Amino acid sequence: MIDPVISLDKKTVVAMVHVPALPGSPDYNAGAGMSRIVDAVVDDLEALQSGGVDAVMFGNEFDRPYVLKAPPEGLAALAAVVGQVKSMIKVPFGVNYLWDPVATIALAVATEASFAREIYTGLYASDMGLWAPDCAGAARIRSSNGRSDLQMLFNINAEFATSLDNRPLEIKAKSAVFSSKADVVCVSGIMTGMSVDQSELRKVREAIPDTPLLANTGVTIDSVNDLFAMTDGCVIGSHLKHNGDTWDSVDPDRVRKFMDKVESIR
């Protein structure tokens, strides 16, 4: 049995590799092509790994405006990117195709990822329209492909959206574990790069003490100590970029300083 990447009290740091805009996205640079995307991913991957992060996650954050169903060319391109850099990956890795849980699990199966994050449950009014993710479809792809080891990371409060489910967040977390078999629960801020509400995070921790919990957005070197007191780790992206800018490249110095802080507290 393979040990899970994310587990209770491990304080795992999952660092984002934000893949440049893919084919099908309005910001895709057709002139530069896929080679430019791969080059940028290699640079960020090397910076993150040399800085000592525990795991990385490949995501298509640059594919704005986001969609709820992955286009074939975008999904194929992200799989191709991961395949081309896979020999360089030295830590466990995961994937996330925003905002399609079924495509994300299919991508994880194809790339042999260790974990896959998405919005799997709930109903939302969002920038992308009415959002009703298919958790059952995603879970069945994992099962039918023999990937029971693949950790499904449930982001339970979607960015860029308002939940149409008025239950408290801690109840939704407990329900996701009970009814949808969440392996890991992630709690987010209202947008990428924005901090988690720590009072909500604390309530979720109390509601699901036996399920790994991650702070999913807005983690910084100044907040990580408080967040790790309530969680089993974090997903971090923007803070590790130059000037903390989501759309910039990874800053090796910021990665090293952040991981030095993490090592001092875990």
Side-chain angles (χ1 to χ4, degrees), residues 22 53 68 84 91 160 174 219-220 252 255 264:
L22 297 162
V53 301
L68 299 177
Q84 288 189 61
V91 296
F160 317 110
K174 195 167 186 175
V219 179
T220 70
V255 179
S264 74

Side-chain angles (χ1 to χ4, degrees), residues 16-266:
M16 291 302 305
V17 178
H18 290 152
V19 178
L22 297 162
S25 169
D27 289 334
Y28 173 59
N29 187 336
M34 289 290 292
S35 61
R36 173 188 169 275
I37 295 175
V38 172
D39 288 345
V41 166
V42 167
D43 288 345
D44 280 359
L45 179 61
E46 290 180 345
L48 293 170
Q49 291 187 143
S50 65
V53 301
D54 302 310
V56 295
M57 179 158 53
F58 298 90
N60 62 320
E61 268 74 9
F62 281 83
D63 281 351
R64 298 174 293 168
Y66 299 121
V67 296
L68 299 177
K69 184 174 175 57
E73 68 274 33
L75 186 59
L78 186 50
V81 169
V82 176
Q84 288 189 61
V85 304
K86 194 172 178 182
S87 64
M88 307 173 195
I89 302 174
K90 302 173 184 176
V91 296
F93 76 91
V95 294
N96 185 187
Y97 197 102
L98 304 170
W99 293 96
D100 187 336
V102 172
T104 293
I105 294 298
L107 178 65
V109 168
T111 59
E112 300 179 310
S114 295
F115 55 92
R117 180 192 65 178
E118 245 307 326
I119 300 292
Y120 292 106
T121 55
L123 180 65
Y124 306 87
S126 77
D127 291 352
M128 295 75 67
L130 188 63
W131 186 353
D134 182 7
C135 180
R140 280 157 175 77
I141 288 178
R142 177 177 70 167
S143 177
S144 65
N145 285 277
R147 285 300 315 274
S148 60
D149 62 302
L150 173 64
Q151 286 190 291
M152 291 174 64
L153 279 54
F154 280 55
N155 185 0
I156 60 167
N157 55 330
E159 300 109 292
F160 317 110
T162 296
S163 176
L164 300 179
D165 176 351
N166 62 9
R167 293 176 299 170
L169 189 63
E170 65 271 21
I171 299 301
K172 287 187 276 190
K174 195 167 186 175
S175 183
V177 172
F178 184 91
S179 70
S180 299
K181 304 179 68 175
D183 298 312
V184 177
V185 168
C186 301
V187 174
S188 304
I190 60 173
M191 289 177 62
T192 298
M194 297 189 71
S195 61
V196 175
D197 183 325
Q198 292 194 26
S199 64
E200 283 196 330
L201 189 65
R202 187 174 293 105
K203 291 176 183 177
V204 171
R205 172 77 293 167
E206 293 170 354
I208 53 165
D210 299 322
T211 300
L213 174 65
L214 299 180
N216 193 52
T217 63
V219 179
T220 70
I221 197 168
D222 296 319
S223 67
V224 66
N225 189 42
D226 290 339
L227 292 171
F228 272 20
M230 294 179 276
T231 68
D232 304 294
C234 68
V235 178
I236 184 168
S238 300
H239 184 69
L240 303 183
K241 304 293 191 72
H242 288 279
N243 300 312
D245 182 353
T246 302
W247 312 117
D248 211 330
S249 58
V250 172
D251 182 343
D253 289 336
R254 289 176 78 99
V255 179
R256 282 191 289 271
K257 289 176 182 177
F258 181 81
M259 290 308 300
D260 285 345
K261 177 65 175 289
V262 167
E263 292 300 337
S264 74
I265 62 178
R266 67 177 176 183

